[in-house]
Amino acid sequence: MPSNEGLISLARRFRVLIAGASYGGLSAALTLLDLSRGQLARFNYDPETKPPQHHIPVDITLVDEKDGFYHLIGSPRALVDEQFASDTWARFVDIKALQSPHVRFIRGSVSAIDCQRKTATILDSASRTTREEGYDFFIAGTGLRRVFPAVPQSRTRDAFLAEVRKHTADVVNARQGVVVVGGGAVGTEMATEIKLLYPQLHVTLIHSREHLLSAEPLPDDFKDRVAALIRETGVELILGQRVVDTTAVEEKTGRIWCLTLADGRAIKAGHVLSAVSRCTPTSSYLPPQVLDDEGHVRVQPSLQFPSTIPNASYHFAIGDLAAWSGIKRCGAAMHMGHYAGYNIHQLMLAECVASKPDFQELQEIPPMIGLCLGRTAVSYHPVDGVKDGEDVLASMFGDDMAYKVCWNYMRLSEPWQA
């Protein structure tokens, strides 16, 4: 760990309020912790970058509805594998990198912010009371509201594990097989994970369009390769058919479901999972004038609010909540969190030592994606094209749907040091 000797300590103490403590929010907080004590940000890989010469006191408050960091990428496996699930949810109090006297967590939600006054209204889940919290800088990183089974609906680790046990039992006991409806990223990964973990089950994936991932701006050869790989896992794939009716039928062996497709076909299943995308931005607490028509935050390349907003330079939005190019991905969220933390530190320096901020600015992000499909993976990048195989699985996801990749990238196991 680099020495802090020679650092110039500044008396001004800054308050940073971060709404959302997932990939983006944690990356922003960790960047600020590193820079505030005169170290390079852990996400910096530019050998030309020099560490800060000033120690800036920072107090960071993270507000999140959950009691811990949940590895969202791992949902397709976590919700049908209790052992794996227990590793994908780490309570904030158990994450060593965040055990700093300058970091505190509030389990709750931000219900409103006042950009002019730089205050936030916070609903505390534990006390069920509302408080007003002042800040010097604010980061909106609450992401999208996703429905089950794309993400668990639990807010605590214990409730999450109970949710997993119930969901796993529903899948395992589905003697008539499992049907997954919706062939987006979640549906494709969920169907193949269920087939991998429970090969005795008949698994069917139904998608209403002729190509999987039809909502994403990806080339057809990628989508066709995904379809071929899914079929190779033993999952039955039905494309171009909408489910027009789902009816519960009581039989001697228990309840089953009868699905009627647009072409008249009837399919029976012991359990049905809807993976149809229904994601909405969690931006209702933000001023309407910062939002686009879909509810995402219009940001500058520095990730600051539009300049027409009062105190725009002190307000940032990151991750899935930000209106920016590219497919919504956890990697992009961590990248944005790093940039927001860095740019806030630049503004702190500018205020304390009258320097000019040198911002990190986002470039356009082209469509790119990686999917974990059982024992293999497939990826697309505009430079590399379509790739698949066990080597892609190993490099992108490892053996745990990228849990260790993300955890180690954020260095969450490293104890905080003053």
Side-chain angles (χ1 to χ4, degrees):
M1 194 66 70
S3 171
N4 284 340
E5 291 182 11
L7 282 178
I8 302 170
S9 293
L10 302 174
R12 171 78 157 95
R13 180 172 289 277
F14 291 91
R15 299 165 301 166
V16 180
L17 179 62
I18 303 175
S22 190
Y23 301 93
L26 292 188
S27 296
L30 292 165
T31 295
L32 280 165
L33 282 177
D34 290 341
L35 294 173
S36 69
R37 60 183 191 263
Q39 298 173 7
L40 288 173
R42 65 192 62 207
F43 308 107
N44 175 73
Y45 290 96
D46 182 357
E48 302 299 319
T49 303
K50 300 291 189 293
Q53 298 303 303
H54 296 82
H55 174 272
I56 300 179
V58 175
D59 289 323
I60 300 169
T61 299
L62 288 137
V63 182
D64 199 283
E65 294 177 338
K66 302 185 298 298
D67 70 354
F69 166 66
Y70 173 64
H71 180 55
L72 180 64
I73 300 172
S75 277
R77 183 182 300 175
L79 289 170
V80 290
D81 183 344
E82 187 177 352
Q83 181 57 51
F84 177 72
S86 68
D87 294 330
T88 61
W89 187 303
R91 284 185 290 244
F92 295 126
V93 295
D94 297 326
I95 299 176
K96 292 180 180 179
L98 301 171
Q99 304 315 302
S100 162
H102 308 298
V103 176
R104 67 175 172 136
F105 291 92
I106 299 175
R107 191 164 78 81
S109 58
V110 176
S111 58
I113 65 166
D114 186 329
C115 296
Q116 185 70 58
R117 295 173 55 231
K118 293 204 282 190
T119 60
T121 303
I122 299 173
L123 175 62
D124 190 304
S125 297
S127 64
R128 297 188 180 277
T129 59
T130 298
R131 73 173 79 174
E132 190 175 85
E133 188 91 13
Y135 58 82
D136 298 302
F137 294 94
F138 178 81
I139 300 176
T142 47
L144 306 178
R145 182 76 64 194
R146 294 177 170 90
V147 298
F148 181 88
V151 297
Q153 301 304 295
S154 306
R155 296 290 178 255
T156 67
R157 187 176 188 275
D158 291 342
F160 164 64
L161 293 178
E163 184 180 358
V164 168
R165 283 192 291 272
K166 180 184 183 305
H167 184 244
T168 301
D170 289 340
V171 170
V172 172
N173 295 326
R175 293 172 184 164
Q176 293 273 1
V178 175
V179 170
V180 178
V181 181
V186 172
T188 55
E189 292 189 326
M190 184 171 293
T192 51
E193 285 300 318
I194 292 173
K195 190 62 180 176
L196 174 66
L197 292 167
Y198 309 104
Q200 77 280 6
L201 290 176
H202 183 80
V203 180
T204 305
L205 175 62
I206 303 173
H207 189 58
S208 61
R209 304 298 179 89
E210 294 296 336
H211 284 99
L212 294 168
L213 295 111
S214 50
E216 303 293 359
L218 296 162
D220 286 348
D221 59 337
F222 172 78
K223 298 174 182 180
D224 291 340
R225 189 66 191 130
V226 172
L229 290 170
I230 287 174
R231 289 189 172 103
E232 288 177 13
T233 68
V235 171
E236 181 183 358
L237 181 59
I238 300 176
L239 296 175
Q241 289 297 318
R242 187 176 300 278
V243 177
V244 296
D245 184 62
T246 304
T247 304
V249 179
E250 297 296 337
E251 295 190 348
K252 291 181 179 180
T253 56
R255 175 179 292 184
I256 66 165
W257 300 91
C258 184
L259 292 81
T260 304
L261 305 187
D263 64 359
R265 270 184 290 175
I267 296 175
K268 290 184 177 181
H271 190 55
V272 179
L273 290 165
S274 175
V276 178
S277 297
R278 288 193 298 273
C279 302
T280 55
T282 56
S283 55
S284 59
Y285 59 93
L286 298 174
Q289 57 268 38
V290 309
L291 307 178
D292 66 11
D293 292 340
E294 295 181 348
H296 296 93
V297 183
R298 295 180 289 113
V299 292
Q300 303 178 59
S302 61
L303 292 163
Q304 292 165 308
F305 281 12
S307 57
T308 54
I309 304 300
N311 289 317
S313 60
Y314 301 95
H315 294 81
F316 294 73
I318 59 175
D320 291 355
L321 204 59
W324 200 259
S325 57
I327 295 172
K328 303 296 186 184
R329 298 178 301 111
C330 299
M334 290 187 283
H335 181 63
M336 291 181 185
H338 171 215
Y339 273 20
Y342 180 90
N343 292 343
I344 287 173
H345 185 260
Q346 286 290 305
L347 289 167
M348 292 174 178
L349 277 176
E351 183 173 328
C352 290
V353 300
S355 61
K356 183 180 179 181
D358 181 17
F359 289 153
Q360 299 271 19
E361 295 193 339
L362 279 184
Q363 304 299 312
E364 289 296 306
I365 301 175
M368 63 183 79
I369 196 170
L371 294 176
C372 180
L373 302 175
R375 298 188 188 280
T376 189
V378 58
S379 66
Y380 169 75
H381 189 280
V383 174
D384 301 326
V386 179
K387 291 185 175 182
D388 68 86
E390 293 182 3
D391 56 333
V392 177
L393 177 70
S395 63
M396 294 191 71
F397 296 98
D399 60 0
D400 56 8
M401 297 197 79
Y403 177 72
K404 286 192 288 287
V405 170
C406 295
W407 184 274
N408 292 337
Y409 180 66
M410 290 189 282
R411 289 159 46 183
L412 296 179
S413 292
E414 293 185 11
W416 180 86
Q417 295 187 21

